[in-house]
Amino acid sequence: MRAILPGKPQARLQALCTTEWEGLRLVVYISGNGLMILSGPGDLVQTIYHEDFEALIAVTIDEASGKIAIASSHEVHVYRPYGKEDGLLKWSLQCTIPRPQQEPEDVTLSWGTDEELLVGSSSLRLFQTAGDEAEIWCRALSKPTRIAKFSCDANLIASTGHYDRLVKLWRRQSYGADDTRFDFTYLPHPTAVTAIHWRRPHTRVQASEHVLYSVCADHKLRIWAAMDQQRTQGLQLWAEIDMQDSVQPRQLNPEIHSQDRFAFFIDSQDFSRTTTAIVKEAAKPGATSVESKEQHALEHLAEIAKSSPEICVVLDRHGHMSAWGLENIGCKVRKPTDIFNIAHVENFDLGFLDSADRIEYSTQFVPFCWGQPAAPFILLAHHFDGRIEWLECRLEELFAPSPQQKRTRRKILWTGHDGPVKKIVRSASGKAVISRTNDNEALIWATGFGGSDLGLTRRSSLKCPEHIHRSWLLQEGHFLVNLHHSSISLWDARLSTAIQVGYVPFDIEGYPICLVQLPKARLDTKTMHIATITAKQNGIVWEIILPESSVLQSNARSPSVPSMKFFGAFELDINDNIAFMLPVDPAGSAVWTSSSLDTFSKDIAISYSHEGRLRTWTAAFDSDESAVAWLVTSTVETGIKDPSLASASSIRKTALVDSSKTGLTIWDMRSGQLEYSIQYGDLELIRDLDWSSTPDDQALLAVGFPHKVVIVAQMRYDYLNAGAAWAPIRSINIKESTPHPIGDSTWLGSGNLLIGAGNQLFIYDKSVDPSDDMISDLALPVHKGGKMNLFDLVTILNGPLPLFHPQFISQCILAGKLGQAQKILHGLYKALKFFTDGDTLDSFISMPPDIFTVEAQTSNGRTLDYHARYGSIDEVMEPDLEEVAASLNETLSKISLPQLSSQDQTHLADMVDCVSTVIKHQRSMDENATRYLLFFRQHMIRKGQVPQNRASVTYREIVWAYHSGSQDILVDLTSRQFQGRMLWADAKDCGLSMWMNDVNALRAQFENIARNEYAKTDEKNPIDCSLYYLALRKKNVLLGLWRMAAWNREQASTQRLLSNNFQEARWKTAALKNAYALLGKRRFEYAAAFFLLAGNLQDAVNVCLHQMRDLQLAVAVARVYEGDDGSVLRLLLRDKVLPQAASEGDRWLATWAFWMLGKRDLALRSLISPVYTLLDTPEWPKMQARSYLANDPALVVLYKQLRGKTLQTLKGASRISAKEEWDFVIQTARLYDRMGCDLLALDLVRNWEFLLQAKEVPSQTEGPPDPRMMLRRRSSLVVDDLSSPKSPTGMKAGVGKPPPQKVFEEPEANSLLDNFGF
């Protein structure tokens, strides 16, 4: 649904016309150089712009053919319709008729029969447009014509000139293209003729009985008719109506008296048709009963319609109306009853405005029968001040003799600009907007016209003599500030025409680039401060004092005129190459106050440099010292050179467009992380960015292109699936409505989007269709209502998750809350026992929220697990988790949960299965092994659902397994996942080569992989296992396999080669030659094997890494071939893995690599600090490294775990400042909140323990400081890895000396080996 402001109609007599063509009501009018074609109050069929940018003068539409003719000062264009049969009605140019150069600008148009077009100016010219256009008649005039109209049968033409007292009546003498002739007579009038109108015939007999109405400057209406059909002199005066005397106000108040009179005619055809429809509707059996007053009005209307009279309506500016009926027009002897009064009523409000301009004071009325039961009669009021009102009414209410509250209802108002919209600026609340054009004409609008949030009301207009550079609305559009190149002006927009009330010139170095309002010191003050900032990073502040009331009061004691004066100048104390600076989009935020200056203050401006550096700014002023202080609240290095466009919201989101205008990025200014990046096509240039926000501060961004606007919505973070944080939810294409490109757009406070294109303003409401393809791709929960709005949709995409959402359960397990996750499944099981489709489901499933945040402790300070904290009675009574899992999966396959999408519900079923599996092995594994097993199992399930998915487990899962003490069990469980026949692809899937600490165990697994690779095909090809056996230095085993490969044509040569001693240089060279030859044949794996045969591990690793693009294989080969002490592995980690982690921002990969290198302090710091800052030769990271995905909230869990694990990690923690750790924890809490896991965010900030700082650590008498003194809870399990040798071998398992033996705990009777999966 949308509302349209099609454009400002021209202040001309022929700017508007309407007709019914083939059952379709069409309304056309001209605005600037555009033709607007509408089929209803809100139905814009087409907009056609005149290519010469020349203002149009006249328009007319042919009732028979549907053709439209428009005229400018030089040409007449004829457009013909097409596509109506296909439901795609449009008009295209048929022909262009040039006008003589010596003709005056004014022109009049009229359609005759058989597609004849009359063009009148200094001459009358008749054209035939049925085929090729041809002039068939021309007659020069002594005086340029102002009005020229064909009668309905095209036999007569009535024409008159400017201030002419004579109406020329042209009678057609002959037809035919070759011999068309007219003669004329005069209809004399005492004063200048202002309007003429031909009666539309009601019957065929009336078609030949011509009746002409004329209105003169003497306020008299004259009716001309052919009273004697036998006479040839034309029409004679039949009667006249004095419009001045017709409308006599019943009150003596002179303020409501007006000398202006207006008239319109309701032809008997339309009157009878409308009355018949009203009477039939009232007579229907199911019609509602009417009151006696309404019944009397209906009877009055039926009585009038009996004689099918012509209706003449006369009215003045104050709502006084007089209606007259005309019968027997043209009779030779007129009876007094032939002209009778129908009604004399008041309260006929037509929205007249006071105007100093006499032309704008005029109004023209176009009535027609609409045919709709609710509003059978329509009156179009064309006000020459630039408005067209669509007024709906019922004739029984219009002519009711009794007083009526409202006789007409304004359905819509067509207005706007007469030139292309250049800029639209909204107020802070979005309740008022200003739109302006290139010629510095501006309109101020208020929202909420007619009680609908879709409507806009034109509040005021202004024409500025200077170029408007920037604009700012104050007090919801009642006042306006315009910034010019060297001055600033203040305008009072409380009247229909804005008045300039303040003007201050200025002289400053630099070009003004920004106009912004500074925060108020107090909310109740009427004093405001406006600042401009130049490209030279300096600026000026002006003080504006507004009146107490926004309404003009003539009797107010204090003056209501606002004032503006110079307040002070300032310099931005920063050395930056600012490319542009602009105010922060308020995005629905209210007016704010600020008495302090800090980073918590609201942002008011944003700047970006040529290097891509974003800065947000806030300011505070000191009225005593007339000074303004500025502060940078955040800085983000985007790396985007020469940005072309930027926009920031008040909730600290910033959108940035690259230099090509096709790349869009969205940044979180608080964390400095990239949330969204997209590259549009070369033909889709981004021209505009506009922010909005929901009532709960969720962001929406409108991305403007030349002919469409794409709305992008904020979404929850999804680290488990690496999902997008933003998604397009709606695309608005205006190309079908207008060919003109979009000038600007902005959000209204209600959530509707206002788009300016050409002369027109389009308002699109915030409703969305859940069946739309864009929304279907979001996998939303099932929405029963069928319709929703943008705010509802964004709330669904954001906000807290239900406890049973798979993402919440996953994050619980990552946070070490496996017991709570188990309790969630039990709670869901109970909630779904009696659940049916359509029932509501509690998001907390009757669980108290504090079970996620309460951290109970024993007397020795150790934290209890969930089962120890909460009673075991319920535990005994609850069913076994395997039974719960089976029941839940069966239930989830039958019903739909209201809070989950179908995809989420599928993932929940998978999660239930995974948790059940993990709980079964829980007692035999530590927490890290539990985390790994859960997500590995989930990965394998999803891989089974999507076979083409070749991704392996993420480095996050690899790090959990790497730091696990239960690796033997993990190896066994992962091997059984592949039925004991693990291939390298399977080993890569589970990350085996990277997380196994024991190199000997890794070699054993590598040998199993070699055997399985050899036996994976029926032919048993030794080539498939060559790399693995040579990495294990088992050349002889490989040689034996080649002896059995008699079928292979390479057997003999390979067998001979392998039989040699490769310690000799000649055979090393032979192996290298074969390796390079295989590289040329793109047999990369086999080439790596020959590099190993030649003893060249480095080249083999390079082939795995670069040609095969398999980092895990490169690591596995290096570890298996020379162990964890090898130089090649260390070189691989230092020169390849760490730079890759820094470039991609992968903290999981970085911490693993640092730990493998024995740099545990850096392994810990890499979880907080950017990875590239920890390298010896840091390089600027890729855009991907600044993505929000680089800041996984599970990093805080690993950080807390590793921080007190060894002395090295404690040493690394001591190098992290308290502020860095604070920011890290707060940022992680924000990530949890953005994910919808608010309870986990609360748990984090409530239970986090910071290390003791240096001043808090107790002093020691001698020796170096002990890092363990930083722990608030002393632990004897901190490994001393500082005093032992730092060899990689001694550190590979994370120990410097043997760890203390664990105390044996006797298992329970029901805990057998079978429960461990053995």
Side-chain angles (χ1 to χ4, degrees):
M1 182 180 176
R2 69 178 185 187
I4 306 170
L5 294 167
K8 177 182 178 181
Q10 300 286 68
R12 293 184 177 273
L13 288 176
Q14 274 198 284
L16 167 71
C17 67
T18 180
T19 191
E20 187 172 346
W21 172 64
E22 296 186 0
L24 178 66
R25 170 60 62 175
L26 296 172
V27 180
V28 297
Y29 77 91
I30 51 177
S31 171
N33 67 328
L35 168 65
M36 316 303 162
I37 307 173
L38 302 102
S39 61
D43 301 322
L44 180 65
V45 179
Q46 190 179 2
T47 303
I48 301 174
Y49 284 98
H50 195 228
E51 295 180 356
D52 295 336
F53 301 101
E54 188 179 14
L56 300 177
I57 300 172
V59 62
T60 184
I61 184 169
D62 185 14
E63 181 179 2
S65 64
K67 289 185 177 182
I68 300 173
I70 59 173
S72 65
S73 59
H74 295 92
E75 294 171 323
V76 175
H77 301 275
V78 178
Y79 293 88
R80 60 184 171 192
Y82 68 93
K84 188 172 186 294
E85 298 79 6
D86 303 327
L88 300 171
L89 177 62
K90 297 293 178 184
W91 275 258
S92 63
L93 181 65
Q94 176 189 335
C95 62
T96 299
I97 301 171
R99 295 182 59 193
Q101 293 184 357
Q102 68 274 14
E103 275 196 347
E105 181 185 63
D106 287 344
V107 65
T108 180
L109 303 173
S110 181
W111 287 100
T113 57
D114 300 326
E115 302 179 28
E116 292 178 342
L117 177 63
L118 177 68
V119 181
S121 183
S122 59
S123 62
L124 289 179
R125 296 190 296 161
L126 187 62
F127 293 89
Q128 176 57 252
T129 65
D132 296 333
E133 74 279 3
E135 183 179 301
I136 59 176
W137 177 72
C138 179
R139 182 71 177 265
L141 301 176
S142 60
K143 189 175 184 180
T145 184
R146 178 170 174 261
I147 306 172
K149 290 185 178 181
F150 265 119
S151 62
C152 293
D153 61 355
N155 280 329
L156 298 178
I157 300 173
S159 69
T160 185
H162 290 272
Y163 311 108
D164 200 343
R165 296 188 303 106
L166 299 176
V167 173
K168 277 188 178 178
L169 193 65
W170 304 80
R171 181 180 294 275
R172 190 189 292 262
Q173 299 297 311
S174 62
Y175 289 86
D178 298 329
D179 186 25
T180 299
R181 297 193 309 274
F182 287 84
D183 65 358
F184 68 90
T185 58
Y186 290 105
L187 303 180
H189 293 73
T191 57
V193 178
T194 58
I196 57 176
H197 173 76
W198 287 103
R199 181 186 68 176
R200 291 175 54 83
H202 183 49
T203 61
R204 284 190 176 182
V205 175
Q206 282 189 343
S208 59
E209 297 175 354
H210 302 106
V211 175
L212 178 68
Y213 305 103
S214 63
V215 181
C216 289
D218 61 357
H219 298 297
K220 288 188 178 181
L221 166 68
R222 291 171 173 82
I223 302 140
W224 304 83
M227 290 183 285
D228 187 353
Q229 297 293 333
Q230 305 301 321
R231 300 174 65 180
T232 59
Q233 67 265 33
L235 305 181
Q236 297 87 39
L237 180 63
W238 181 76
E240 63 181 29
I241 299 174
D242 192 328
M243 296 191 296
Q244 197 71 40
D245 295 337
S246 297
V247 178
Q248 292 295 332
R250 298 171 182 174
Q251 301 177 19
L252 299 178
N253 185 0
E255 292 184 359
I256 65 171
H257 287 210
S258 173
Q259 298 300 317
D260 295 308
R261 296 293 184 266
F262 306 93
F264 62 88
F265 305 93
I266 305 175
D267 295 309
S268 61
Q269 177 186 10
D270 287 342
F271 183 73
S272 300
R273 180 179 168 189
T274 304
T275 304
T276 302
I278 293 172
V279 173
K280 283 184 178 179
E281 182 190 356
K284 286 182 180 178
T288 57
S289 60
V290 295
E291 298 180 0
S292 58
K293 184 190 298 185
E294 296 175 356
Q295 182 66 32
H296 178 63
L298 192 62
E299 292 173 355
H300 176 65
L301 181 67
E303 183 66 26
I304 296 170
K306 284 182 179 179
S307 57
S308 300
E310 311 290 333
I311 308 295
C312 171
V313 180
V314 182
L315 60 151
D316 67 2
R317 288 188 171 274
H318 298 293
H320 304 106
M321 182 197 77
S322 177
W324 298 85
L326 309 176
E327 293 181 357
N328 304 319
I329 299 178
C331 62
K332 292 184 179 180
V333 180
R334 180 170 62 84
K335 296 180 292 184
T337 56
D338 288 343
I339 301 177
F340 59 94
N341 183 260
I342 296 175
H344 188 96
V345 300
E346 298 178 354
N347 298 326
F348 191 68
D349 184 18
L350 294 178
F352 292 106
L353 298 178
D354 293 331
S355 176
D357 192 328
R358 191 63 193 172
I359 295 179
E360 293 184 358
Y361 210 58
S362 303
T363 302
Q364 185 183 36
F365 297 96
V366 180
F368 63 88
C369 177
W370 179 231
Q372 301 292 335
F377 184 75
I378 302 298
L379 182 63
L380 298 179
H382 173 205
H383 303 282
F384 279 33
D385 60 358
R387 298 173 297 135
I388 296 177
E389 288 183 291
W390 178 292
L391 301 168
E392 295 181 342
C393 61
R394 299 178 63 86
L395 288 183
E396 74 272 25
E397 297 175 358
L398 181 65
F399 298 138
S402 58
Q404 298 285 326
Q405 186 74 19
K406 249 187 178 180
R407 298 181 183 271
T408 61
R409 293 169 297 277
R410 187 165 73 173
K411 177 70 174 178
I412 202 168
L413 178 71
W414 292 332
T415 184
H417 294 276
D418 56 3
V421 174
K422 176 185 178 182
K423 186 67 178 176
I424 303 176
V425 179
R426 57 173 272 174
S427 65
S429 65
K431 295 180 180 178
V433 294
I434 178 174
S435 56
R436 69 172 190 262
T437 61
N438 287 318
D439 54 3
N440 301 313
E441 289 188 351
L443 294 176
I444 300 172
W445 310 85
T447 59
F449 161 71
S452 168
D453 63 354
L454 263 184
L456 282 182
T457 303
R458 193 179 81 176
R459 174 178 290 167
S460 185
S461 63
L462 68 90
K463 173 67 176 177
C464 188
E466 293 187 60
H467 172 73
I468 300 176
H469 187 48
R470 295 285 185 269
S471 297
W472 195 273
L473 291 171
L474 302 173
Q475 281 194 2
E476 301 303 342
H478 290 103
F479 300 95
L480 170 69
V481 176
N482 284 329
L483 177 69
H484 314 290
H485 293 308
S486 58
S487 62
I488 188 169
S489 58
L490 176 64
W491 297 73
D492 188 339
R494 291 175 290 178
L495 295 174
S496 59
T497 301
I499 305 170
Q500 182 174 303
V501 293
Y503 183 84
V504 180
F506 63 83
D507 183 15
I508 190 172
E509 182 183 3
Y511 182 74
I513 57 176
C514 178
L515 183 67
V516 63
Q517 181 181 353
L518 302 183
K520 290 183 178 182
R522 299 192 317 275
L523 190 60
D524 59 346
T525 181
K526 294 297 180 180
T527 302
M528 301 179 180
H529 292 81
I530 295 286
T532 185
I533 304 167
T534 73
K536 297 291 185 179
Q537 302 177 27
N538 55 3
I540 300 176
V541 179
W542 295 273
E543 183 177 87
I544 299 174
I545 301 176
L546 300 180
E548 293 294 328
S549 174
S550 61
V551 180
L552 281 173
Q553 298 177 359
S554 58
N555 58 349
R557 294 183 180 179
S558 60
S560 61
V561 178
S563 62
M564 178 173 59
K565 66 178 181 179
F566 174 81
F567 178 78
F570 61 86
E571 299 278 345
L572 296 181
D573 187 17
I574 188 170
N575 185 18
D576 198 1
N577 185 17
I578 293 181
F580 206 77
M581 194 168 186
L582 64 159
V584 165
D585 197 319
S589 62
V591 179
W592 70 96
T593 62
S594 177
S595 58
S596 60
L597 189 64
D598 50 44
T599 56
F600 296 101
S601 302
K602 280 249 185 186
D603 297 334
I604 63 170
I606 181 172
S607 65
Y608 59 87
S609 67
H610 293 286
E611 294 76 24
R613 185 180 304 107
L614 292 173
R615 297 184 192 272
T616 54
W617 300 78
T618 189
F621 63 92
D622 185 349
S623 57
D624 296 332
E625 299 183 4
S626 298
V628 177
W630 291 81
L631 177 69
V632 176
T633 56
S634 61
T635 303
V636 175
E637 298 284 354
T638 66
I640 299 175
K641 303 297 182 183
D642 296 320
S644 59
L645 192 62
S647 182
S649 73
S650 58
I651 54 177
R652 296 198 169 177
K653 304 290 182 186
T654 298
L656 191 66
V657 180
D658 62 12
S659 58
S660 66
K661 297 185 179 182
T662 58
L664 171 68
T665 53
I666 299 177
W667 301 81
D668 186 299
M669 298 301 292
R670 283 192 182 94
S671 60
Q673 60 191 18
L674 175 66
E675 292 191 340
Y676 185 64
S677 177
I678 187 172
Q679 193 73 31
Y680 294 100
D682 294 338
L683 299 179
E684 296 181 298
L685 300 182
I686 301 173
R687 301 178 61 171
D688 189 28
L689 299 169
D690 293 289
W691 286 100
S692 183
S693 64
T694 65
D696 54 348
D697 276 351
Q698 310 294 344
L700 284 164
L701 176 66
V703 185
F705 298 90
H707 295 282
K708 70 175 181 178
V709 175
V710 176
I711 299 175
V712 184
Q714 174 181 312
M715 299 174 64
R716 294 185 190 94
Y717 285 166
D718 185 0
Y719 289 93
L720 301 179
N721 302 307
W726 293 75
I729 59 174
R730 189 177 180 185
S731 180
I732 299 173
N733 196 323
I734 68 165
K735 215 165 189 178
E736 294 183 358
S737 301
T738 175
H740 204 288
I742 295 173
D744 198 10
S745 62
T746 192
W747 291 95
L748 302 179
S750 58
N752 301 325
L753 184 65
L754 176 65
I755 299 176
N759 305 358
Q760 301 168 325
L761 294 173
F762 300 87
I763 309 170
Y764 290 86
D765 71 348
K766 58 179 179 288
S767 64
V768 293
D769 185 2
S771 62
D772 186 82
D773 291 341
M774 281 187 172
I775 299 178
S776 300
D777 294 341
L778 300 177
L780 294 176
V782 178
H783 188 71
K784 302 296 184 183
K787 287 285 185 180
M788 65 174 73
N789 62 44
L790 285 174
F791 290 172
D792 296 335
L793 176 61
V794 177
T795 300
I796 293 173
L797 296 175
N798 295 273
L801 292 169
L803 297 187
F804 49 85
H805 195 282
Q807 174 155 272
F808 188 87
I809 298 175
S810 301
Q811 291 300 327
C812 277
I813 296 171
L814 285 175
K817 300 180 183 299
L818 183 60
Q820 284 90 327
Q822 186 176 353
K823 196 69 176 176
I824 289 172
L825 298 186
H826 280 287
L828 183 61
Y829 167 74
K830 293 176 183 177
L832 295 183
K833 264 189 176 180
F834 306 103
F835 182 86
T836 58
D837 282 332
D839 292 351
T840 57
L841 185 62
D842 179 22
S843 295
F844 286 91
I845 48 178
S846 302
M847 293 178 63
D850 60 351
I851 69 170
F852 295 93
T853 58
V854 174
E855 188 172 25
Q857 297 179 352
T858 62
S859 57
N860 62 0
R862 295 185 59 188
T863 303
L864 295 176
D865 66 5
Y866 175 80
H867 299 287
R869 278 181 278 167
Y870 297 92
S872 60
I873 298 177
D874 292 338
E875 232 177 277
V876 174
M877 298 179 63
E878 288 177 348
D880 182 72
L881 191 60
E882 289 191 31
E883 178 187 339
V884 169
S887 175
L888 277 177
N889 281 335
E890 181 182 357
T891 305
L892 291 174
S893 64
K894 297 178 180 178
I895 63 173
S896 297
L897 302 187
Q899 291 96 327
L900 300 184
S901 66
S902 57
Q903 181 180 350
D904 290 334
Q905 193 158 323
T906 302
H907 290 168
L908 176 60
D910 298 341
M911 181 61 66
V912 169
D913 182 56
C914 294
V915 173
S916 174
T917 303
V918 167
I919 293 296
K920 185 169 62 175
H921 302 288
Q922 179 186 9
R923 295 186 182 276
S924 61
M925 297 185 297
D926 58 13
E927 274 191 348
N928 287 339
T930 299
R931 293 182 178 105
Y932 172 83
L933 182 60
L934 176 83
F935 291 103
F936 170 68
R937 174 72 178 154
Q938 190 175 1
H939 167 74
M940 295 308 297
I941 290 176
R942 293 189 182 181
K943 188 174 182 181
Q945 296 168 349
V946 187
Q948 63 269 24
N949 181 15
R950 298 188 178 183
S952 59
V953 294
T954 65
Y955 291 120
R956 177 183 56 230
E957 281 70 62
I958 290 173
V959 169
W960 293 129
Y962 179 70
H963 289 289
S964 170
S966 311
Q967 290 191 353
D968 292 342
I969 299 172
L970 287 182
V971 170
D972 178 67
L973 291 174
T974 52
S975 297
R976 286 198 294 168
Q977 177 68 38
F978 305 107
Q979 292 79 42
R981 301 184 61 83
M982 184 184 289
L983 303 175
W984 170 249
D986 304 326
K988 182 181 178 181
D989 241 3
C990 59
L992 192 74
S993 64
M994 296 184 72
W995 56 256
M996 287 189 69
N997 284 327
D998 190 344
V999 177
N1000 292 326
L1002 177 61
R1003 289 183 176 126
Q1005 286 299 318
F1006 217 61
E1007 189 166 1
N1008 290 335
I1009 292 171
R1011 286 196 295 268
N1012 295 332
E1013 288 284 350
Y1014 173 71
K1016 69 180 179 182
T1017 59
D1018 294 336
E1019 59 186 11
K1020 296 183 178 180
N1021 193 344
I1023 296 176
D1024 295 338
C1025 62
S1026 297
L1027 176 62
Y1028 308 101
Y1029 277 119
L1030 291 176
L1032 291 164
R1033 301 176 184 269
K1034 294 188 176 183
K1035 184 193 73 171
N1036 292 333
V1037 175
L1038 183 61
L1039 181 60
L1041 297 178
W1042 271 108
R1043 291 193 182 110
M1044 294 183 289
W1047 56 270
N1048 195 316
R1049 62 181 182 179
E1050 298 178 1
Q1051 181 200 28
S1053 57
T1054 307
Q1055 191 174 342
R1056 286 195 303 272
L1057 181 63
L1058 291 177
S1059 301
N1060 297 299
N1061 181 8
F1062 286 89
Q1063 299 299 321
E1064 299 179 10
R1066 58 175 293 203
W1067 296 115
K1068 284 186 177 182
T1069 303
L1072 287 174
K1073 288 181 178 179
N1074 279 278
Y1076 288 118
L1078 290 168
L1079 282 177
K1081 296 179 181 180
R1082 304 188 66 80
R1083 297 173 65 182
F1084 300 130
E1085 183 178 326
Y1086 205 25
F1090 273 90
F1091 278 123
L1092 291 178
L1093 188 62
N1096 197 335
L1097 173 62
Q1098 184 64 62
D1099 287 341
V1101 167
N1102 288 340
V1103 170
C1104 295
L1105 190 65
H1106 300 298
Q1107 275 72 34
M1108 299 179 68
R1109 300 186 182 279
D1110 193 339
L1111 174 61
Q1112 289 197 41
L1113 183 59
V1115 171
V1117 169
R1119 294 185 68 189
V1120 168
Y1121 192 85
E1122 63 176 3
D1124 287 351
D1125 299 332
S1127 60
V1128 174
L1129 177 62
R1130 295 180 64 81
L1131 195 66
L1132 172 65
L1133 295 174
R1134 188 188 66 200
D1135 294 349
K1136 301 296 182 183
V1137 176
L1138 283 175
Q1140 176 184 333
S1143 176
E1144 298 174 357
D1146 195 331
R1147 300 180 188 274
W1148 298 101
L1149 180 60
T1151 188
W1152 172 83
F1154 279 128
W1155 201 278
M1156 286 287 294
L1157 288 169
K1159 300 179 179 180
R1160 298 182 182 178
D1161 55 338
L1162 295 180
L1164 184 77
R1165 291 172 59 191
S1166 65
L1167 300 176
I1168 292 183
S1169 304
V1171 180
Y1172 73 93
T1173 62
L1174 304 177
L1175 303 184
D1176 296 333
T1177 56
E1179 295 182 3
W1180 190 252
K1182 295 179 182 178
M1183 185 80 71
Q1184 178 184 352
R1186 281 159 281 180
S1187 170
Y1188 81 95
L1189 293 171
N1191 299 315
D1192 194 329
L1195 290 168
V1196 78
V1197 180
L1198 181 64
Y1199 173 80
K1200 187 175 183 180
Q1201 184 184 118
L1202 297 184
R1203 185 178 62 180
K1205 188 171 186 178
T1206 74
L1207 293 182
Q1208 264 204 76
T1209 56
L1210 274 173
K1211 182 181 177 183
S1214 67
R1215 297 180 180 177
I1216 298 172
S1217 67
K1219 184 180 185 305
E1220 285 182 297
E1221 187 170 339
W1222 166 271
D1223 292 341
F1224 176 55
V1225 173
I1226 296 301
Q1227 172 62 13
T1228 303
R1230 287 197 186 105
L1231 297 179
Y1232 275 133
D1233 179 66
R1234 183 71 187 274
M1235 293 174 69
C1237 304
D1238 303 64
L1239 291 175
L1240 298 182
L1242 180 60
D1243 172 62
L1244 178 65
V1245 298
R1246 179 173 180 173
N1247 298 317
W1248 184 264
E1249 287 186 355
F1250 291 91
L1251 293 178
L1252 293 172
Q1253 298 303 304
K1255 60 182 180 181
E1256 301 176 274
V1257 176
S1259 59
Q1260 298 177 348
T1261 55
E1262 59 183 13
D1266 187 354
R1268 284 174 292 191
M1269 300 299 292
M1270 300 171 61
L1271 295 173
R1272 295 182 183 271
R1273 304 184 190 187
R1274 298 297 301 275
S1275 174
S1276 60
L1277 298 180
V1278 178
V1279 177
D1280 182 5
D1281 54 356
L1282 290 176
S1283 57
S1284 58
K1286 306 298 189 300
S1287 67
T1289 303
M1291 304 178 71
K1292 68 180 185 298
V1295 294
K1297 56 183 179 181
Q1301 295 291 328
K1302 292 184 178 180
V1303 178
F1304 175 77
E1305 296 180 8
E1306 183 177 358
E1308 297 177 3
N1310 60 354
S1311 178
L1312 301 177
L1313 290 178
D1314 288 343
N1315 289 341
F1316 291 84
F1318 296 141

